[in-house]
Amino acid sequence: GSRKIMPNSSDVSYKAPPIVEKALSIQFRPLESFHVALLGVIWDAFKAEYPKISYESRLEHTIERFGIPFAHAKPSFKLLDKPEAPRTTFISLNEEYLIQVQDDRFVLNWRKTESNSYPRHQVLIEKLLKEFGTFKGVFMENGIDSVEPDQLEIINVNHIEDDNVSLDKAFDSIMSNSSIAMSDVEGFSCNFSQFFEYEGKKIGRIYTNLEKAKRKKDLQDIFGIKITVGLDPIGASNEELVKLFDKLRCSVNSVFDSVTTAKFQETWGKQ
């Protein structure tokens, strides 16, 4: 039978999860005094460990709001009195870690490579806070406004790779009652949005994307699970940030547990 896809407070973890990328994001109120030249100063503080650099389109400023119907973002434009600084990415030599910065966001990414394994959430949180401290230090040295976080996010991307698995075996709750012959489905994408609650209050949202796609390097079928969860930290200290990120982690893991089969969970070493 099917199970309801709902996060809960239980702490589910796996010894060898199929995670291929994880992002920990601290968004803050846009800094009016942030300018393009400051990006060079920021990179100076990181380039010993992150010697590669790239530029990407900006991430939108996102704050979860409640009491209004959910709607997907619509195209928009705004008038600017000065050019916006791009989103800049600093990349470690082995390309395992990335730091993304812009005038309202700091993101640490971990990516799976041919030779590494997932370093665990606590290791990434410690690294995030260390690098974020360096980032804020540059602002203090240059007389920039204080950083006030207004959104924390975790993004987990998992890939299930198995030549012999069909979609209904990969995603338990979604496909258990489906009459479609999933072995004949070339592609598939399904999105969910739900509230993230704590102590009876809505404090954020969880976005889940399930899909069947082709792996770029060899066009093998893969089954993707992308889970994004965000909340407003409301003036949290560093210690409180750690606790809030842990709540987000538990929520991500609970959703992951809800949509995958017991067979795969055993393979990944569910604890």
Side-chain angles (χ1 to χ4, degrees):
S2 62
R3 289 178 292 167
K4 190 176 183 182
I5 301 175
M6 269 308 283
N8 55 51
S9 58
S10 62
D11 188 0
V12 180
S13 65
Y14 295 86
K15 290 181 180 178
I19 187 168
V20 296
E21 183 165 4
K22 181 167 187 167
L24 302 171
S25 172
I26 300 176
Q27 178 186 272
F28 42 87
R29 294 177 185 174
L31 301 172
E32 294 296 327
S33 48
F34 192 97
H35 50 81
V36 175
L38 190 62
L39 290 172
V41 181
I42 295 171
W43 189 34
D44 280 342
F46 286 105
K47 67 182 178 183
E49 190 174 349
Y50 302 85
K52 304 177 184 180
I53 190 169
S54 68
Y55 300 97
E56 319 290 341
S57 57
R58 292 174 53 81
L59 298 170
E60 288 296 318
H61 196 88
T62 304
I63 298 177
E64 299 298 343
R65 303 186 188 283
F66 306 101
I68 56 175
F70 170 76
H72 291 289
K74 298 178 180 178
S76 63
F77 70 93
K78 53 186 175 182
L79 300 176
L80 303 173
D81 57 3
K82 65 177 181 179
E84 286 190 299
R87 172 164 54 109
T88 306
T89 303
F90 309 136
I91 308 166
S92 66
L93 192 60
N94 64 359
E95 300 191 349
E96 178 178 8
Y97 289 101
L98 295 80
I99 288 176
Q100 302 180 62
V101 300
Q102 61 184 47
D103 64 356
D104 64 352
R105 194 180 291 255
F106 184 91
V107 185
L108 174 71
N109 288 67
W110 170 85
R111 296 192 300 197
K112 186 170 179 57
T113 67
E114 296 277 333
S115 58
N116 70 356
S117 58
Y118 178 55
R120 316 313 299 180
H121 174 82
Q122 187 57 38
V123 172
L124 293 179
I125 284 294
E126 290 173 3
K127 190 172 184 65
L128 170 71
L129 294 180
K130 172 180 170 288
E131 310 295 28
F132 188 52
T134 300
F135 179 67
K136 291 192 295 182
V138 172
F139 290 162
M140 290 180 63
E141 291 171 5
N142 289 271
I144 305 296
D145 329 24
S146 61
V147 174
E148 300 177 32
D150 60 13
Q151 178 91 345
L152 305 182
E153 285 182 352
I154 290 182
I155 301 173
N156 269 29
V157 181
N158 299 271
H159 286 172
I160 301 174
E161 303 175 17
D162 189 327
D163 291 331
N164 303 310
V165 69
S166 62
L167 194 60
D168 60 326
K169 289 188 177 70
F171 300 134
D172 186 12
S173 300
I174 305 304
M175 293 300 145
S176 58
N177 293 325
S178 174
S179 60
I180 300 173
M182 285 300 160
S183 58
D184 298 330
V185 172
E186 179 183 12
F188 168 87
S189 183
C190 186
N191 297 291
F192 301 86
S193 170
Q194 57 199 117
F195 294 122
F196 177 44
E197 297 187 0
Y198 179 64
E199 294 182 346
K201 291 182 61 178
K202 295 172 183 175
I203 60 172
R205 280 192 177 87
I206 306 164
Y207 302 92
T208 305
N209 169 254
L210 311 176
E211 66 174 359
K212 177 182 179 182
K214 297 289 185 182
R215 191 166 61 187
K216 288 182 181 179
K217 66 179 182 180
D218 57 9
L219 298 182
Q220 176 183 317
D221 282 343
I222 60 171
F223 303 93
I225 306 174
K226 179 180 179 181
I227 303 169
T228 303
V229 57
L231 58 77
D232 184 343
I234 317 175
S237 65
N238 264 16
E239 183 177 315
E240 291 166 334
L241 287 178
V242 171
K243 292 179 181 178
L244 289 172
F245 268 118
D246 197 56
K247 293 185 190 304
L248 295 181
R249 176 188 67 85
C250 289
S251 181
V252 167
N253 288 353
S254 182
V255 172
F256 180 82
D257 184 62
S258 296
V259 299
T260 53
T261 63
K263 171 193 170 183
F264 278 105
Q265 291 169 9
E266 183 179 353
T267 301
W268 301 322
K270 180 178 177 180
Q271 297 175 308

